[in-house]
Structures are given as structure tokens and as C-alpha cells.
Amino acid sequence: IDPGGIGKGLAADLVSAEVIDAGAHGALVNVGGDLRVRGEPPNGRTWDVAVVDPESSLEILRVGLHDGAVATSSRMRRRWPTRAGEMHHLIDPRTGAPSVTPHATVAAIAHEGWWAEVAAKTVLVGGLSLEDARPLGALLTIVSEDGVISRDPGLEQFAA
């Protein structure tokens, strides 16, 4: 469990709701990379969101959302060398050690920011495939250790 990441997603949910409740027609809230959009976007169509892979700096996903959230989890930024090998900040609760997973980065789209965070972390730490992750109810893009990108077919409906 990463309460920091989940907390960022929840904070984006809460702030975007407050902004709309205060009378704004639309809101895009970014809390440490967790995005939540609501209401009317400036272009009148969708909130266009790009996700960049932290390792390559290449765009791995671009979506147009009306009301939803995007969260990304990666083990490629916060990592460090040790005598035991390279470590990173995403801990597998089953072992108490940095997760060992074939995934380098996972981006999740969900209706709420906190849930997008839960889905991204669960898939990354658990090494889940797109098929195994379906019950999470999020649309996913997975970047493997060797740079191969897998996308949930449902993402086509959000093409920006």
C-alpha cells in the first residue's frame, strides 16, 4: 500500500470537486503527477492528457477525458544502487522488499484519482497482465522492462 500515492489521487479528487462546487465550469488538478479532470475543458471537447514514460521521456499515452483521472506508477525514477543490487521505492507487501516485476511503468485511467493510483500500483507491484488486471476496472498502459508497450483495447474510446 502506498498511502502517499493513493493520498495524491484522493487529494486531486477532493480539490477538483471543491473547485467545481465553488462555481468553476471545469478543473484539471495535478497533484504530484496524479491528474483529475472534471467539467468543461478549455477546448470545449475533452481534457487532453499525455503520459510520458519516465525512463525514455517518450509519450506512451494520450487520452481525451471528460471526467476522470490518470495516475502513473514507475520504478524507473526513484531508485538507487546498493551492494545487493538496484533498489526502488515500490515495496511489495508480500516480501517487504522492492517489488520484482516485469513492468517498468504502469499508467491507469479510472473515474477517480485514488482508484487510478490503486490500479497502477497493484498492476506494477503485482506484475499483472492486462487480462489479469481487468477486474480492477481501470484502463491500463503497461511499459515492460525492455520498453514494450501494452495498451488496454478500451483506451481507443479516449483517443485524443
Side-chain angles (χ1 to χ4, degrees), residues 61 63 65 68-71 107-112 116 119 137-141 155 158:
L61 176 66
V63 293
L65 299 175
V70 179
I109 298 174
H111 185 66
E112 296 175 304
L139 296 173
L140 302 164
T141 296
L155 286 169
F158 296 104

Side-chain angles (χ1 to χ4, degrees), residues 14-35:
L14 295 172
V15 170
S16 64
E18 289 288 324
V19 169
I20 295 297
D21 290 347
H25 294 286
L28 182 149
V29 176
N30 179 343
V31 179
D34 289 353
L35 291 170

Side-chain angles (χ1 to χ4, degrees), residues 35-46:
L35 291 170
R36 179 66 161 94
V37 298
R38 294 178 193 259
E40 192 66 32
N43 68 12
R45 296 185 318 269
T46 59

Side-chain angles (χ1 to χ4, degrees), residues 21-123:
D21 290 347
H25 294 286
L28 182 149
V29 176
N30 179 343
V31 179
D34 289 353
L35 291 170
R36 179 66 161 94
V37 298
R38 294 178 193 259
E40 192 66 32
N43 68 12
R45 296 185 318 269
T46 59
W47 295 94
D48 295 340
V49 178
V51 176
V52 176
D53 179 53
E55 178 74 6
S56 67
S57 297
L58 296 174
E59 185 176 296
I60 59 171
L61 176 66
R62 179 173 291 270
V63 293
L65 299 175
H66 293 284
D67 182 10
V70 179
T72 303
S73 287
S74 178
R75 58 183 176 81
M76 304 312 290
R77 284 259 169 114
R78 290 187 274 176
R79 55 188 178 167
W80 55 94
T82 71
R83 283 182 243 170
E86 190 168 89
M87 300 291 171
H88 60 84
H89 72 292
L90 295 169
I91 305 302
D92 186 331
R94 298 168 293 195
T95 64
S99 64
V100 176
T101 172
H103 306 325
T105 301
V106 175
I109 298 174
H111 185 66
E112 296 175 304
W114 72 272
W115 190 252
E117 262 292 339
V118 167
K121 293 271 188 295
T122 298
V123 172

